[in-house]
Amino acid sequence: MNDSLPPCPECSSEYTYEMGALLVCPECAHEWAASAETDTGTGAPGPAVVKDAVGNVLADGDTVTVVKDLKVKGSSTVIKVGTKVRGIRLVNGVGDHDIDCKVDGVGPMQLKSSVVKKI
Ligand SMILES: [Zn+2]
């Protein structure tokens, strides 16, 4: 496979590689979900309008808080109610996950817009 992968968003390294559903940068060890940028097969550039739990329209770069405890799949970590998430990115994620973000102390992940509230 010679598909060119997107460069690392942290350090712009071109030596990124795929690991499962994630892209990994060998230079700065950054890991991120690749699905958003490479998803060109559906014809849909992204969710038209993404609304939070109370109906506010969300945009890239917004800061939100989590409105219910969220268990992180595959770990015992729980993202608590009220956790602040900065700099969200709207994506066509896995399942009905439509927010790509990095949660302090937890790492990069995808969330559903229905479990967050814009600040
Ligand atoms: Zn990097």
Side-chain angles (χ1 to χ4, degrees):
M1 296 278 273
N2 260 338
D3 289 343
S4 64
L5 295 167
C8 174
E10 294 282 313
C11 71
S12 300
S13 166
E14 291 173 7
Y15 301 104
T16 53
Y17 60 92
E18 285 175 293
M19 191 175 68
L22 294 177
L23 289 178
V24 182
C25 172
E27 306 209 4
C28 70
H30 183 57
E31 296 177 5
W32 69 101
S35 54
E37 321 265 61
T38 55
D39 184 14
T40 52
T42 62
V49 178
V50 176
K51 291 182 179 176
D52 70 6
V54 295
N56 293 315
V57 175
L58 297 171
D60 284 359
D62 276 352
T63 298
V64 299
T65 56
V66 174
V67 298
K68 58 187 261 189
D69 285 351
L70 303 173
K71 275 194 85 170
V72 179
K73 225 179 184 177
S75 81
S76 56
T77 306
V78 175
I79 302 172
K80 290 284 190 191
V81 173
T83 299
K84 204 184 267 190
V85 182
R86 281 178 286 268
I88 64 166
R89 215 160 55 85
L90 304 182
V91 297
N92 274 325
V94 179
D96 47 0
H97 292 70
D98 43 19
I99 293 174
D100 191 51
C101 62
K102 194 168 182 179
V103 180
D104 286 347
V106 181
M109 67 181 51
Q110 294 186 342
L111 297 174
K112 296 178 186 179
S113 55
S114 57
V115 301
V116 302
K117 197 168 73 149
K118 187 173 172 173
I119 298 178

